[in-house]
């Protein structure tokens, strides 16, 4: 194939090198963005008088026809091309002859690729954001049904204090809201225009970078041309934001996996979102949640790939940077896949309230409330804590619970105890009284749900 840069070479490129160098198999997905960038560039060239208005219009029409042909499948990407940029320019020249050869005036593939990735990822961020909003809405909808569903809250995976399932779910809504914030921050810093940076040192043509900025919907032109072509911070920022999303989904998945086990049995997944075993007929496995947890690992890997790829690069462009795309595309593809499978899995699961309530009854999760009962009657907390510890030990020895321990046993430890104790340590009461801001009381969780819905 006759290369656009063949001028100074006297030999054909080795076929292995061609294949090694080529990126069209993975950057081909940016064809729309490449064409949008080229249309903005051609418009600007015409407006600035760098090429004639007629040539500019012909180029724009040619690019539009290429786009239309790719969209309907009339034009297939040639996997022998070096990359999507070369492919589209070559196709344009095939269609327009020498007019097509004017498109690349005062532009380099280095600023071109930087524009394309930004435009591509800008759209992807919108999609991920939309998927997160749906997931958060599903969480709110489910939490709303479970503001009274008592379950044990855990620390160290040991039963700790009573909460509700709604409260537990809403913790994830907060994490995912912050994730949306991180995506928004990333989108803001990403949305600047590298076009016009040239190969690295700008250009001698009277280009108008503010015009292409406006045409492409960027907020401003990048201020330094070397930075314009060698910055991939936005990929790293996005991969990091996506990694945090995956970390959250992975924690949530881990809990779902535990809750599905016979040891917990707090939930049951819908048959459509679980899988069986090839040998054990009784099995119903939470494969989806496990895969989400597994995929978090590869996305963290993508993030690390990008950091490591950039750390030793001198300014400005280096071919190493071609490796950015597979890493960030993998992160983007997988986070979208995970959220869109996770959301319906969550929406369709059955919550086994009774099992949660039974688990809450064991493990002395109202011990703090028992100590607080004494404190409210005037005892210093540390003394109350010690007495309650003794009562828990007595319950363990007698194989009973604080609720069932007779009042005489209490009175032996402190004269402050009376029959109203049993009301104070009933789990329903313990949850209802946790009305502190952000706490698990049903009223408080309803407020949390309102807070989250308002921010969506
Ligand atoms: N395919 C290249 C990439 O993805 C495009 C930029 C090539 N620039 C260059 N000077 N070889 O990074």
């Amino acid at each position: 194939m006759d290369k656009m840069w063949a001028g100074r070479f006297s030999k054909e490129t080795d076929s292995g090198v061609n294949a090694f160098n080529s990126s069209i198999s993975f950057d081909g997905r940016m064809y729309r963005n490449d064409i949008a960038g080229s249309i903005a560039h051609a418009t600007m060239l015409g407006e600035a008088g760098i090429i004639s208005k007629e040539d500019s219009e012909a180029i724009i029409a040619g690019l539009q026809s290429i786009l239309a042909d790719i969209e309907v499948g009339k034009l297939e990407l040639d996997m022998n091309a070096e990359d999507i940029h070369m492919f589209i320019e070559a196709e344009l020249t095939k269609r327009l002859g020498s007019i097509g050869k004017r498109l690349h005036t005062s532009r380099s593939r280095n600023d071109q690729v930087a524009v394309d990735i930004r435009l591509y990822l800008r759209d992807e961020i919108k999609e991920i954001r939309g998927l997160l909003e749906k997931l958060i809405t599903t969480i709110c909808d489910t939490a709303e049904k479970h503001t009274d569903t008592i379950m044990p809250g855990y620390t160290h995976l040991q039963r700790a204090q009573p909460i509700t399932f709604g409260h537990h779910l809403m913790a994830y809504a907060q994490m995912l809201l912050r994730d949306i914030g991180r995506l928004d921050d990333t989108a803001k810093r990403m949305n600047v225009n590298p076009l016009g940076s040239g190969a690295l040192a700008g250009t001698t043509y009277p280009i108008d970078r503010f015009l292409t900025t406006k045409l492409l919907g960027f907020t401003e032109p990048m201020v330094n041309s070397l930075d314009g072509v060698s910055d991939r911070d936005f990929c790293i920022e996005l991969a990091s934001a996506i990694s945090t999303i995956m970390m959250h989904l992975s924690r949530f998945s881990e809990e779902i996996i535990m809750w599905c086990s016979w040891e917990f049995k707090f939930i049951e997944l819908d048959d459509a979102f679980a899988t069986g075993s090839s040998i054990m007929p009784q099995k119903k496995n939470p494969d989806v949640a496990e895969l989400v947890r597994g995929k978090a690992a590869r996305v963290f890997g993508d993030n690390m790939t990008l950091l490591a790829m950039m750390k030793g690069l001198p300014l400005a462009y280096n071919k190493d940077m071609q490796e950015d795309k597979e890493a960030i595309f993998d992160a983007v593809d997988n986070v979208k896949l995970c959220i869109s499978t996770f959301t319906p899995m969550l929406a369709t699961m059955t919550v086994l309230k009774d099992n949660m309530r039974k688990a809450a009854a064991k493990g002395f999760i109202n011990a703090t409330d028992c100590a607080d009962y004494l404190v409210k009657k005037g005892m210093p907390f540390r003394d109350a804590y010690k007495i309650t510890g003794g009562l828990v030990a007595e319950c363990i020895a007698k194989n009973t619970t604080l609720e069932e321990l007779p009042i005489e046993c209490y009175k032996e430890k402190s004269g402050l105890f009376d029959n109203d104790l049993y009301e104070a340590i009933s789990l329903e009461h313990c949850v209802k009284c946790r009305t502190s801001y952000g706490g698990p009381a049903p009223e408080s969780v309803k407020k949390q749900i309102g807070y989250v819905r308002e921010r969506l």
Side-chain angles (χ1 to χ4, degrees), residues 50 67 122 377:
I50 298 168
L67 176 62
R122 190 169 79 181
K377 297 213 164 177

Side-chain angles (χ1 to χ4, degrees), residues 16 19 32 60 98 110 113 115 142 144 162-163 174 195 218 238 251 325 429:
R32 289 193 193 102
I60 293 166
S98 64
N110 298 347
V113 70
V115 169
T142 313
E144 218 145 49
I163 57 168
Q174 288 299 321
L195 193 59
F218 288 122
L238 180 57
R251 291 183 80 177
K325 282 169 279 304
H429 182 82

Side-chain angles (χ1 to χ4, degrees), residues 23 27 82-83 85 109-110 113 317 319 321-322 325:
S23 56
D27 65 23
E82 192 173 323
D83 53 30
H85 327 294
R109 260 188 305 161
N110 298 347
V113 70
Y317 177 84
K319 187 77 170 199
M321 290 160 80
Q322 180 165 287
K325 282 169 279 304

